[in-house]
């Protein structure tokens, strides 16, 4: 039973809920399943309980590429203020804004033990940025690493080209991009189809977190 749930509603819709709170007590997959079940079983009048459940469920869903709707967040103003900056940045690939949201929300995210989860979700923002670079290159299947490096610089992220290459390699390794890097030619060779798979379609999205 969750200690943070209001006692009056603790027995309503939370019997199957085991909160992944430290990152080790239960798997993220199990936590997502149990939090989802808890949310839908929670009494409609238990607004604060639903908000607390969503505070942990939304970041897990974001990691899988499922961004919450504006309509949902508008029902929970505290969550709207906390998560909307991250969601907006992910949608447009704005790494600078994402990093600012991590910084400005650090205290609250640490209180909720969610900072690390949202820091990991930064990869979705990076994927969006790299996809914009790919679209700007007319969906080319052969792209110099320097193009991704320039994309990062335009986004306000200063780094050398070697670090940019590591970013691309990590995106490929984690399934955000389909392709490989020709280090000798400093070229990213992308798959002919589905070069940037939907985040939600990745296999085992929690495995590499």
């Amino acid at each position: 039973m969750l200690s943070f749930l209001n006692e009056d509603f603790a027995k309503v819709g939370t019997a199957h809920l085991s909160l992944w709170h430290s990152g080790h007590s239960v798997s993220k997959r199990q936590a997502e399943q149990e939090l989802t079940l808890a949310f839908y079983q929670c009494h409609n009048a238990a607004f604060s309980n639903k908000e607390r459940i969503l505070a942990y469920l939304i970041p897990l869903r974001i990691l899988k590429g499922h961004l919450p709707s504006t309509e949902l967040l508008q029902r929970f103003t505290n969550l709207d203020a906390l998560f909307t900056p991250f969601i907006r940045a992910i949608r447009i690939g704005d790494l600078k804004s994402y990093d600012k949201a991590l910084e400005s929300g650090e205290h609250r995210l640490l209180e909720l033990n969610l900072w690390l989860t949202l820091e990991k979700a930064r990869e979705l923002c990076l994927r969006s940025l790299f996809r914009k670079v790919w679209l700007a290159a007319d969906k080319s299947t052969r792209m110099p690493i320097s193009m991704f490096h320039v994309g990062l610089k335009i986004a306000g992220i200063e780094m050398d080209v070697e670090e940019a290459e590591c970013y691309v390699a990590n995106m490929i390794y984690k399934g955000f991009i389909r392709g490989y890097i020709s280090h000798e030619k400093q070229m990213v060779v992308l798959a002919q189809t589905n070069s940037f798979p939907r985040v939600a379609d990745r296999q085992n999205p929690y495995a590499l977190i």
Side-chain angles (χ1 to χ4, degrees):
M1 194 61 63
L2 296 182
S3 59
F4 63 65
L5 290 179
N6 182 292
E7 186 175 354
D8 293 339
F9 294 102
K11 296 180 181 179
V12 184
T14 58
H16 303 287
L17 181 57
S18 302
L19 177 63
W20 151 74
H21 188 272
S22 67
H24 302 286
S25 57
V26 295
S27 71
K28 289 178 173 63
R29 185 185 303 276
Q30 181 184 348
E32 182 199 358
Q33 293 171 348
E34 295 182 348
L35 286 164
T36 300
L37 182 61
F39 180 77
Y40 286 112
Q41 289 189 343
C42 193
H43 195 289
N44 285 334
F47 180 85
S48 61
N49 287 355
K50 285 196 168 190
E51 184 175 68
R52 288 164 180 158
I53 292 168
L54 284 174
Y56 293 92
L57 179 57
I58 286 174
L60 289 174
R61 297 284 289 169
I62 288 175
L63 286 176
K64 290 182 66 177
H66 299 293
L67 303 182
S69 67
T70 301
E71 292 75 18
L72 174 66
L73 289 175
Q74 286 178 345
R75 291 170 52 197
F76 301 90
T77 54
N78 291 332
L79 301 183
D80 190 14
L82 182 62
F83 292 123
T84 292
F86 295 105
I87 294 163
R88 185 182 297 118
I90 288 172
R91 291 190 188 280
I92 64 175
D94 187 348
L95 277 177
K96 199 76 171 178
S97 292
Y98 196 98
D99 291 342
K100 286 180 181 178
L102 277 176
E103 182 179 354
S104 62
E106 181 177 7
H107 179 71
R108 181 56 178 154
L109 292 172
L110 288 173
E111 281 185 341
L112 295 170
N113 201 27
L114 290 175
W115 191 90
L116 182 58
T117 304
L118 271 299
E119 194 276 334
K120 291 292 185 184
R122 183 179 185 269
E123 293 176 341
L124 277 72
C125 191
L126 180 61
R127 174 203 174 272
S128 296
L129 174 61
F130 282 172
R131 188 173 185 275
K132 286 173 64 176
V133 173
W134 174 65
L135 292 174
D138 293 326
K139 300 183 180 180
S140 174
T141 58
R142 298 178 65 85
M143 297 180 60
I145 290 171
S146 59
M147 291 191 67
F148 294 102
H149 182 223
V150 169
L152 286 162
K153 292 183 70 174
I154 292 173
I157 308 299
E158 291 295 332
M159 63 176 64
D160 57 34
V161 68
E162 289 80 10
E163 190 173 356
E165 181 179 351
C166 289
Y167 269 43
V168 176
N170 191 52
M171 288 285 101
I172 293 172
Y173 173 67
K174 294 193 174 183
F176 291 105
I177 300 174
R178 294 179 65 237
Y180 65 90
I181 294 176
S182 173
H183 181 73
E184 181 181 357
K185 296 181 179 180
Q186 286 291 285
M187 188 74 64
V188 182
V189 182
L190 297 165
Q192 292 283 349
T193 60
N194 202 23
S195 301
F196 283 78
R198 291 194 323 140
V199 177
D201 292 340
R202 288 192 309 146
Q203 292 186 347
N204 303 318
Y206 296 137
L208 298 175
I209 294 170

